[in-house]
Each structure stands twice: as C-alpha cells, then as structure tokens.
Amino acid sequence: MIRRIILSAILACAYAMAADAPSGTIRLHLRTRVEPFKGSGEWQEVYVERAVPVARTAIVICDMWDKHWCSGANRRVGELAERMAPVLDQARASGIQIIHAPSEVMDFYDAAPQRRQMLALARIEPPSPVALADPPLPIDDADGGCDTADSFYKAWSREIPTLRIGPKDVISDSGGEIYSFLRGRGIETLLIMGVHTNMCILNRSFAIKQMTKWGVRCVLVRDLTDSMYNPKDRPFVPHDQGTELVIEHIEKYWAPSVLSSELMAAMGAGK
C-alpha cells in the first residue's frame, strides 16, 4: 500500500513536470568556420541548420554588470543590454530557460528566490573535461583591453538593471552549479551572450571553454557580445573589427554562432 502511494506521488510529480515543460523546437542558423585543407590557414564560413528542443535549451548571460571600470566598455554594455532585453523577453515567452551569470556579485542576490533555487540544487559531478586545442587569440589584450584612459577597479555590484530577472530565471556564477542545473533539467544547448568575448565569454567556469569540455553544446549569440580590445594594440584594427576577429576565433575552435535576429525569428516560428 505504501509503495503504491509513493509510486502514485512520483507519477503525479512527473506528470506535473511534463505539463510545465515547454514544447516545440527552434531551428538555429549556425555559423562556423572550417579549414578544408588542414594546415593551410585558409578558413571558410560554413552555415549549419540545427533543430533544438526548446525544453533542452537555455541562455546564459555572462557578466553584464551594472558598471564596468573601463568607460568605453561600460557604454557598450549599456547599449548591448538595450538590444538584449527584448531577446530575453521573447525567449521566456518561448519557454527557454534564462540563466543570469554576473560574476562576483552573488551576495547582492543572496535572498532572491532565483539564487536560492541554485543553492538548493543537488550537485551533479561533471565528467572529466575533454582535451581540446586552445590556440592563442588573434588580438592582444595583455594590458586589459580598455580603449579609454581608465584604470582598473571593481566597479560592479550587480547585473545591469536593464535586464529583467523573471520569476522562472535562475542566478549563478558557478560552473558547477550551472552544469548541475543544466543536466538536472536535461538541457543540452547553451546560448551564450554578454561580455567579453576574449575574456569571460571564453574563460568563466560557466562559459564556452569549460562547458564545451564538459559536453554541453554552446552557441555564441554573436551580435549580443563585445570584446575588451584597444585598437592601439595588435593587430591594430578598429574595436568592432577586433571583436569580429575573436568571434571568428571562437567559431573556428570552440563553438558556432547565431545572430539575435535569427534567434528571434526561430523563436517566433517555434511557438
């Protein structure tokens, strides 16, 4: 009798979760880079169509802080947030999970239910990371990459308030927590937006390199990101071109990319 009651409770819980789970798929128009003749250094753009289930897809927002020490970066983050907000709103409406990952400011969110949910997670141990080649970046950011005359200080205290945190969103800056959340939800594809391509987007514990090594399929939203690059440094190109060079680097060695307009169209078609 007790076993029957427990089984009924488990089934009821499963049915409830299934009812809450988003349905449908979105088709992503992914850009990547291939070197047809290995060692030639000649890379070509290639586009791949990929259908991904909404229920197995999440967005992580990397380090979109309220203030940055570099005033040039700070201005661009503000502009980026304005373009990012409607994409996140449509993603929520489509049922895609949103993960806010503003590093080093978790104390600000200590009482938020979206943060408490992550702290309460059962830990799922990641697999041994896959060994992957990690070629050097095509830009020089050794001096911090700031393109305005500013000195470093910890300017940030929270995520930029332009980006709304929805009731079903979650908050974490821990790769282990986010990996456990993804695996617990059966999420396989991680769309990554935020800053900066040559630093946090690649190197945070929840970002492209580590998640790729753990077997999570990452996709960079390439027009909702920016680099920390000063045109006075190698390869001496305008800032936006430096960002594009890093995006190309990511497409070659780490992950494909998608445009936010293509993502918005896919989410609209996937309803």
Side-chain angles (χ1 to χ4, degrees):
M1 181 66 176
I2 293 175
R3 185 177 299 173
R4 193 177 300 133
I5 292 171
I6 293 172
L7 179 59
S8 297
I10 292 171
L11 288 173
C13 181
Y15 291 145
M17 290 176 66
D20 288 340
S23 60
T25 62
I26 55 174
R27 295 194 66 84
L28 300 179
H29 186 59
L30 303 178
R31 190 178 80 180
T32 188
R33 309 256 163 183
V34 299
E35 188 183 26
F37 303 100
K38 303 307 176 188
S40 67
E42 297 174 0
W43 293 85
Q44 295 181 0
E45 287 184 14
V46 174
Y47 289 87
V48 178
E49 296 289 330
R50 173 75 66 168
V52 297
V54 169
R56 297 186 179 182
T57 304
I59 290 174
V60 67
I61 306 162
C62 179
D63 289 356
M64 287 289 288
W65 289 312
D66 57 337
K67 189 175 182 181
H68 199 280
W69 64 271
C70 175
S71 56
N74 191 63
R75 173 182 53 80
R76 287 188 293 271
V77 165
E79 295 168 353
L80 201 58
E82 294 289 344
R83 303 201 310 271
M84 192 180 291
V87 178
L88 297 175
D89 286 341
Q90 183 158 339
R92 285 189 195 92
S94 300
I96 293 175
Q97 177 66 54
I98 309 296
I99 304 169
H100 299 261
S103 300
E104 304 170 4
V105 296
M106 288 299 104
D107 287 351
F108 181 87
Y109 298 102
D110 190 53
Q114 297 92 335
R115 175 69 188 131
R116 305 307 296 177
Q117 181 180 348
M118 295 298 278
L119 292 172
L121 283 176
R123 178 66 181 250
I124 297 175
E125 215 42 53
S128 298
V130 177
L132 297 171
D134 189 4
L137 290 169
I139 63 172
D140 180 2
D141 58 9
D143 65 353
C146 185
D147 61 338
T148 47
D150 303 301
S151 299
F152 176 84
Y153 69 103
K154 187 179 177 182
W156 45 91
S157 62
R158 56 170 295 186
E159 187 174 77
I160 189 168
T162 309
L163 304 179
R164 179 173 68 88
I165 299 177
K168 293 186 178 180
D169 297 359
V170 293
I171 303 170
S172 176
D173 66 350
S174 162
E177 286 177 4
I178 291 175
Y179 179 84
S180 296
F181 180 81
L182 298 178
R183 285 296 180 245
R185 292 288 187 92
I187 292 171
E188 299 171 343
T189 301
L190 191 60
L191 300 164
I192 298 178
M193 56 183 69
V195 294
H196 287 100
T197 49
N198 51 317
M199 296 180 178
C200 304
I201 287 283
L202 277 172
N203 297 315
R204 290 292 188 189
S205 64
F206 54 79
I208 287 176
K209 286 183 182 180
Q210 187 60 71
M211 286 297 172
T212 299
K213 291 176 182 179
W214 283 340
V216 179
R217 295 173 180 172
C218 295
V219 176
L220 175 67
V221 185
R222 66 178 178 268
D223 59 325
L224 295 181
T225 190
D226 186 40
S227 66
M228 282 293 289
Y229 169 66
N230 186 348
K232 293 181 179 179
D233 294 326
R234 182 186 59 83
F236 312 107
V237 295
H239 177 87
D240 288 348
Q241 190 175 340
T243 300
E244 184 58 37
L245 287 172
V246 182
I247 291 169
E248 291 176 9
H249 175 88
I250 291 171
E251 291 170 344
K252 289 175 183 178
Y253 302 110
W254 291 103
S257 74
V258 68
L259 285 172
S260 63
S261 58
E262 295 168 343
L263 179 58
M264 292 277 275
M267 291 188 295
K271 286 184 179 178

